[in-house]
Amino acid sequence: MREIGGYLGFERYSSSRLHEGAVALNCGRNALAYLIRARGIRHIYLPQFLCETVGEVCWRAQISVTYYPITEDFLPAALTLADGAWLYVVNYYGQIGNERLAALARKYGRVIVDNAQAYFQEPVAGVDTLYTCRKFFGVPDGAFLYTDARLNEPLERDESFERMRHILGRFERSASEFYQDSVANDRSLIGAPLKAMSRLTENLLRGIDYAAVKARRTRNFRVLHESLGARNALRLNVPEGAFMYPFYVADGARVRREMQRRNCLLYTSPS
């Protein structure tokens, strides 16, 4: 029963969010966990260039994993899947367009697209696709999954109020002061049980001006590419609503240290 009175609570937003038709879950790794269970996946091919959390999900689910290399265009190198296996494709920095993703789906059949770095890119029809919210917005968790597979079990709804310290702290102070809280929040999601997206995260996502964020991120990427593209070893397109600008140079570690010394952000920001 909803309480009445006492004191005022957080405002409820009513704007539409992106990915309204997708399954709303508590984090990106659990979007994959959901698919593993709903699809009955027993063997998956993962790219070698990959965040370790994806491998951890597969390890916890006790499924077989085969790692494959990617090309300079971020696409899977030529490979033959084992019978019944699934291909996990990461859309690195939003550089793989939907035409190429659709071609991969036609070629390999069982394909999962990880759009964690391409929040503003629409999913390819009929292809299981996952998105992660906190890589793009000031939310503590949250993910979306497009799939026609469904778990025949109710999901408990997650709660996020205890994960908000680093977000609220940065709003009023500096990011560096609350960086360790951000790290702690990341760690808290390791091994987190599969749950539905929290009401708080869902509410925050309904208060975002997505058009403005998309335009700012696209502009940031374009400005950086115009300045750094000639020195960048990567061949890049300018994606809509970019995640970050990847800058690949021989002395990248030194450049990164110097940027950190100058308190420069190492990703494009919507703010």
Side-chain angles (χ1 to χ4, degrees), residues 185-198:
N185 182 64
D186 291 345
R187 290 174 178 167
S188 73
L189 295 173
I190 298 175
L194 173 59
K195 293 183 179 182
M197 182 183 290
S198 72

PDB file of all heavy atoms in Angstrom, residues 185-198:
ATOM      1  N   ASN A 185      30.462   1.257  -6.129  1.00  0.00           N
ATOM      2  CA  ASN A 185      29.187   0.937  -6.775  1.00  0.00           C
ATOM      3  C   ASN A 185      29.384  -0.086  -7.883  1.00  0.00           C
ATOM      4  O   ASN A 185      28.593  -1.030  -8.023  1.00  0.00           O
ATOM      5  CB  ASN A 185      28.556   2.201  -7.344  1.00  0.00           C
ATOM      6  CG  ASN A 185      27.216   1.932  -7.987  1.00  0.00           C
ATOM      7  OD1 ASN A 185      26.272   1.526  -7.322  1.00  0.00           O
ATOM      8  ND2 ASN A 185      27.118   2.133  -9.288  1.00  0.00           N
ATOM      9  N   ASP A 186      30.446   0.078  -8.673  1.00  0.00           N
ATOM     10  CA  ASP A 186      30.748  -0.901  -9.720  1.00  0.00           C
ATOM     11  C   ASP A 186      30.948  -2.290  -9.118  1.00  0.00           C
ATOM     12  O   ASP A 186      30.436  -3.288  -9.639  1.00  0.00           O
ATOM     13  CB  ASP A 186      32.007  -0.488 -10.490  1.00  0.00           C
ATOM     14  CG  ASP A 186      31.795   0.747 -11.345  1.00  0.00           C
ATOM     15  OD1 ASP A 186      30.623   1.124 -11.578  1.00  0.00           O
ATOM     16  OD2 ASP A 186      32.796   1.353 -11.769  1.00  0.00           O
ATOM     17  N   ARG A 187      31.692  -2.339  -8.036  1.00  0.00           N
ATOM     18  CA  ARG A 187      31.972  -3.634  -7.402  1.00  0.00           C
ATOM     19  C   ARG A 187      30.717  -4.259  -6.808  1.00  0.00           C
ATOM     20  O   ARG A 187      30.578  -5.483  -6.784  1.00  0.00           O
ATOM     21  CB  ARG A 187      33.033  -3.453  -6.316  1.00  0.00           C
ATOM     22  CG  ARG A 187      34.427  -3.141  -6.860  1.00  0.00           C
ATOM     23  CD  ARG A 187      35.398  -2.829  -5.740  1.00  0.00           C
ATOM     24  NE  ARG A 187      36.744  -2.582  -6.250  1.00  0.00           N
ATOM     25  CZ  ARG A 187      37.732  -2.054  -5.533  1.00  0.00           C
ATOM     26  NH1 ARG A 187      37.519  -1.708  -4.262  1.00  0.00           N
ATOM     27  NH2 ARG A 187      38.919  -1.878  -6.076  1.00  0.00           N
ATOM     28  N   SER A 188      29.800  -3.420  -6.352  1.00  0.00           N
ATOM     29  CA  SER A 188      28.576  -3.946  -5.737  1.00  0.00           C
ATOM     30  C   SER A 188      27.708  -4.696  -6.735  1.00  0.00           C
ATOM     31  O   SER A 188      26.875  -5.521  -6.349  1.00  0.00           O
ATOM     32  CB  SER A 188      27.768  -2.809  -5.104  1.00  0.00           C
ATOM     33  OG  SER A 188      27.132  -2.008  -6.101  1.00  0.00           O
ATOM     34  N   LEU A 189      27.903  -4.417  -8.026  1.00  0.00           N
ATOM     35  CA  LEU A 189      27.101  -5.074  -9.052  1.00  0.00           C
ATOM     36  C   LEU A 189      27.695  -6.394  -9.504  1.00  0.00           C
ATOM     37  O   LEU A 189      27.046  -7.152 -10.225  1.00  0.00           O
ATOM     38  CB  LEU A 189      26.938  -4.142 -10.259  1.00  0.00           C
ATOM     39  CG  LEU A 189      26.147  -2.858  -9.984  1.00  0.00           C
ATOM     40  CD1 LEU A 189      26.191  -1.931 -11.192  1.00  0.00           C
ATOM     41  CD2 LEU A 189      24.709  -3.174  -9.611  1.00  0.00           C
ATOM     42  N   ILE A 190      28.930  -6.692  -9.080  1.00  0.00           N
ATOM     43  CA  ILE A 190      29.547  -7.975  -9.423  1.00  0.00           C
ATOM     44  C   ILE A 190      28.789  -9.089  -8.711  1.00  0.00           C
ATOM     45  O   ILE A 190      28.685  -9.101  -7.488  1.00  0.00           O
ATOM     46  CB  ILE A 190      31.032  -7.999  -9.027  1.00  0.00           C
ATOM     47  CG1 ILE A 190      31.809  -6.924  -9.798  1.00  0.00           C
ATOM     48  CG2 ILE A 190      31.641  -9.377  -9.282  1.00  0.00           C
ATOM     49  CD1 ILE A 190      33.264  -6.802  -9.378  1.00  0.00           C
ATOM     50  N   GLY A 191      28.277 -10.008  -9.444  1.00  0.00           N
ATOM     51  CA  GLY A 191      27.536 -11.111  -8.849  1.00  0.00           C
ATOM     52  C   GLY A 191      26.156 -10.735  -8.354  1.00  0.00           C
ATOM     53  O   GLY A 191      25.504 -11.537  -7.677  1.00  0.00           O
ATOM     54  N   ALA A 192      25.696  -9.510  -8.671  1.00  0.00           N
ATOM     55  CA  ALA A 192      24.354  -9.102  -8.250  1.00  0.00           C
ATOM     56  C   ALA A 192      23.314 -10.023  -8.875  1.00  0.00           C
ATOM     57  O   ALA A 192      23.415 -10.376 -10.051  1.00  0.00           O
ATOM     58  CB  ALA A 192      24.091  -7.656  -8.662  1.00  0.00           C
ATOM     59  N   PRO A 193      22.315 -10.437  -8.131  1.00  0.00           N
ATOM     60  CA  PRO A 193      21.301 -11.343  -8.686  1.00  0.00           C
ATOM     61  C   PRO A 193      20.487 -10.666  -9.778  1.00  0.00           C
ATOM     62  O   PRO A 193      20.347  -9.438  -9.799  1.00  0.00           O
ATOM     63  CB  PRO A 193      20.436 -11.683  -7.468  1.00  0.00           C
ATOM     64  CG  PRO A 193      20.652 -10.561  -6.505  1.00  0.00           C
ATOM     65  CD  PRO A 193      22.063 -10.113  -6.711  1.00  0.00           C
ATOM     66  N   LEU A 194      19.975 -11.455 -10.677  1.00  0.00           N
ATOM     67  CA  LEU A 194      19.139 -10.966 -11.762  1.00  0.00           C
ATOM     68  C   LEU A 194      17.847 -10.399 -11.194  1.00  0.00           C
ATOM     69  O   LEU A 194      17.085 -11.093 -10.537  1.00  0.00           O
ATOM     70  CB  LEU A 194      18.836 -12.112 -12.734  1.00  0.00           C
ATOM     71  CG  LEU A 194      17.843 -11.836 -13.856  1.00  0.00           C
ATOM     72  CD1 LEU A 194      18.310 -10.689 -14.732  1.00  0.00           C
ATOM     73  CD2 LEU A 194      17.634 -13.111 -14.681  1.00  0.00           C
ATOM     74  N   LYS A 195      17.606  -9.104 -11.457  1.00  0.00           N
ATOM     75  CA  LYS A 195      16.404  -8.437 -10.973  1.00  0.00           C
ATOM     76  C   LYS A 195      15.889  -7.467 -12.024  1.00  0.00           C
ATOM     77  O   LYS A 195      16.605  -7.114 -12.970  1.00  0.00           O
ATOM     78  CB  LYS A 195      16.692  -7.663  -9.670  1.00  0.00           C
ATOM     79  CG  LYS A 195      17.032  -8.539  -8.471  1.00  0.00           C
ATOM     80  CD  LYS A 195      17.227  -7.687  -7.218  1.00  0.00           C
ATOM     81  CE  LYS A 195      17.547  -8.550  -6.006  1.00  0.00           C
ATOM     82  NZ  LYS A 195      17.698  -7.714  -4.773  1.00  0.00           N
ATOM     83  N   ALA A 196      14.663  -7.030 -11.842  1.00  0.00           N
ATOM     84  CA  ALA A 196      14.103  -5.993 -12.694  1.00  0.00           C
ATOM     85  C   ALA A 196      14.704  -4.645 -12.305  1.00  0.00           C
ATOM     86  O   ALA A 196      15.181  -4.450 -11.178  1.00  0.00           O
ATOM     87  CB  ALA A 196      12.585  -5.956 -12.556  1.00  0.00           C
ATOM     88  N   MET A 197      14.676  -3.709 -13.221  1.00  0.00           N
ATOM     89  CA  MET A 197      15.204  -2.366 -12.975  1.00  0.00           C
ATOM     90  C   MET A 197      14.491  -1.723 -11.796  1.00  0.00           C
ATOM     91  O   MET A 197      13.281  -1.860 -11.628  1.00  0.00           O
ATOM     92  CB  MET A 197      15.033  -1.504 -14.223  1.00  0.00           C
ATOM     93  CG  MET A 197      15.576  -0.091 -14.112  1.00  0.00           C
ATOM     94  SD  MET A 197      15.269   0.897 -15.597  1.00  0.00           S
ATOM     95  CE  MET A 197      16.374   0.103 -16.760  1.00  0.00           C
ATOM     96  N   SER A 198      15.256  -0.993 -10.986  1.00  0.00           N
ATOM     97  CA  SER A 198      14.671  -0.340  -9.819  1.00  0.00           C
ATOM     98  C   SER A 198      13.745   0.795 -10.239  1.00  0.00           C
ATOM     99  O   SER A 198      13.884   1.379 -11.319  1.00  0.00           O
ATOM    100  CB  SER A 198      15.775   0.217  -8.917  1.00  0.00           C
ATOM    101  OG  SER A 198      16.380   1.361  -9.506  1.00  0.00           O
TER     102      SER A 198
END
